[in-house]
């Protein structure tokens, strides 16, 4: 799966002149990114739980990395959700 990876410093605040559709698009995009990251966690967990013993350490590292990416995507989505809520949309 591939989705935009952004850090907090890359998330640009929407100004008062930004249109609501742009906010809605950003919110939906962040939700899609979070859902894709969540699916990656499930896939990584499945690999870890089913792999052969010699591969477990690597599989677990992949699972932990997937969890980190999902947490980052969830944080970005939360930020957009707060922006939507603040505008009352």
């Amino acid at each position: 799966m591939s989705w935009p990876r952004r850090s907090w410093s890359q998330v640009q605040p929407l100004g008062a002149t930004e249109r609501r559709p742009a906010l809605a698009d950003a919110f939906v995009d962040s939700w899609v990114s979070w859902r894709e990251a969540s699916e990656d966690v499930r896939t990584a967990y499945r690999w870890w739980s089913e792999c052969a013993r010699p591969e477990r350490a690597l599989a677990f590292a992949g699972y932990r990395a997937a969890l980190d990416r999902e947490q980052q995507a969830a944080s970005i989505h939360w930020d957009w959700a707060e922006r939507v809520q603040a505008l009352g949309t």
Side-chain angles (χ1 to χ4, degrees), residues 23-65:
L23 178 64
D25 287 346
F27 175 77
V28 170
D29 287 347
S30 71
W31 180 80
V32 168
S33 294
W34 171 66
R35 293 297 298 155
E36 290 175 345
S38 296
E39 181 57 33
D40 289 347
V41 168
R42 283 187 285 282
T43 300
Y45 180 82
R46 194 174 320 114
W47 179 46
W48 174 45
S49 68
E50 297 173 358
C51 72
R53 182 175 293 277
E55 297 174 337
R56 285 188 187 157
L58 179 60
F60 183 70
Y63 173 62
R64 293 280 313 265

Side-chain angles (χ1 to χ4, degrees), residues 6 14 20-34 73 76-85 89:
R6 293 178 264 181
L14 290 175
R20 287 181 191 261
L23 178 64
D25 287 346
F27 175 77
V28 170
D29 287 347
S30 71
W31 180 80
V32 168
S33 294
W34 171 66
I76 291 170
H77 181 58
W78 177 264
D79 182 57
W80 286 111
E82 286 182 329
R83 292 174 190 204
V84 168
Q85 186 177 21
T89 31

Side-chain angles (χ1 to χ4, degrees), residues 11-23 80 83 87:
V11 175
Q12 297 297 317
L14 290 175
T17 60
E18 291 286 337
R19 300 177 335 201
R20 287 181 191 261
L23 178 64
W80 286 111
R83 292 174 190 204
L87 288 177

